[in-house]
Amino acid sequence: MGSSTTGAVRGGSDAAPAKPLGEIIFAAVILSIGIVGFVAGAGIQTPDSASDIGPRALPYIVSGLLVIVGAGLIVQLLRGKTGEADEGEDIDPDVRTDWLTVAKMAGTVVVHIFLIIPLGWPVAAAVLFFGAAWALGAKPLWRAAVVGVVMALVLQFAFGGLLGVSLPAGVLEGVPFLNG
C-alpha cells in the first residue's frame, strides 16, 4: 500500500533495462565527427610535389580513429555493455567559477585570431600558448614564453615544413624550414 518502489521494479525482472540514450548520442556524435573529418579531409588540396604523406594523412588518421571508436561505442552500448558510474570527481562543487581566468583565456584566443594574418601563425601560436599558460597561473612567466615559442616553431615546422600544410609564416616568411 505505501510502497516506494516503481511498477517496473515491483514486477521483478520483467522490464528490460533502459538503453543509455545520452551515451548513444555522444557515441553517434563522435562517429559523425569522424565521418565529417573524412569528407573535409578529402577536400584538402595535395600539392603536386607531395610524396607518400601529404596534408591529408593526419585528418584521415584522426577521422579513422574517431569512426572506429564511435562505432565501437555504439555497438557496445546497444549490447548493454556500459561502464561503471563514477563515484564522483575529485573536485569541490562549492568552489565558484574563476571568471577572471575564463576571461583571460577567451581574450588570449581572440588575440591569437587577430594576430594570425599580420604576424603569421608561429607568432600568433606562441602568444596563444603563452597566454594560456599565463591565464592558468604558470610561474615563472619567462619559462612559459620560451615553451610557447618552442611549441609554436615545432608545430610550424611539422605542419608547414614536413607535411606541406599552408600555415602563414608571417614575419618568419623566408625561413626555409618553416614554409609550407
Side-chain angles (χ1 to χ4, degrees), residues 57-147:
L58 187 63
Y60 281 169
I61 291 169
V62 172
S63 298
L65 291 173
L66 286 171
V67 167
I68 290 168
V69 168
L73 281 172
I74 290 172
V75 168
Q76 291 295 332
L77 290 168
L78 291 176
R79 295 169 112 189
K81 306 222 181 201
T82 58
E84 289 185 25
D86 194 10
E87 293 291 325
E89 295 191 27
D90 192 20
I91 60 169
D92 185 358
D94 298 326
V95 174
R96 300 177 54 93
T97 301
D98 184 2
W99 290 108
L100 179 60
T101 300
V102 172
K104 287 178 184 178
M105 290 293 289
T108 298
V109 170
V110 169
V111 168
H112 169 73
I113 291 168
F114 284 108
L115 288 180
I116 290 175
I117 297 299
L119 299 180
W121 195 91
V123 174
V127 169
L128 177 69
F129 296 144
F130 170 77
W134 164 71
L136 296 173
K139 299 287 182 195
L141 289 177
W142 66 266
R143 186 181 308 149
V146 169
V147 169

Side-chain angles (χ1 to χ4, degrees), residues 19 33 67 92 99 124 149 162 174:
K19 298 287 184 202
I33 291 171
V67 167
D92 185 358
W99 290 108
V149 168
L162 296 178

Side-chain angles (χ1 to χ4, degrees), residues 24 33 54 148 157 168:
I24 291 173
I33 291 171
F157 172 70

Side-chain angles (χ1 to χ4, degrees), residues 43-58:
I44 296 174
Q45 301 218 350
T46 305
D48 294 334
S49 63
S51 60
D52 294 338
I53 293 185
R56 292 182 188 168
L58 187 63

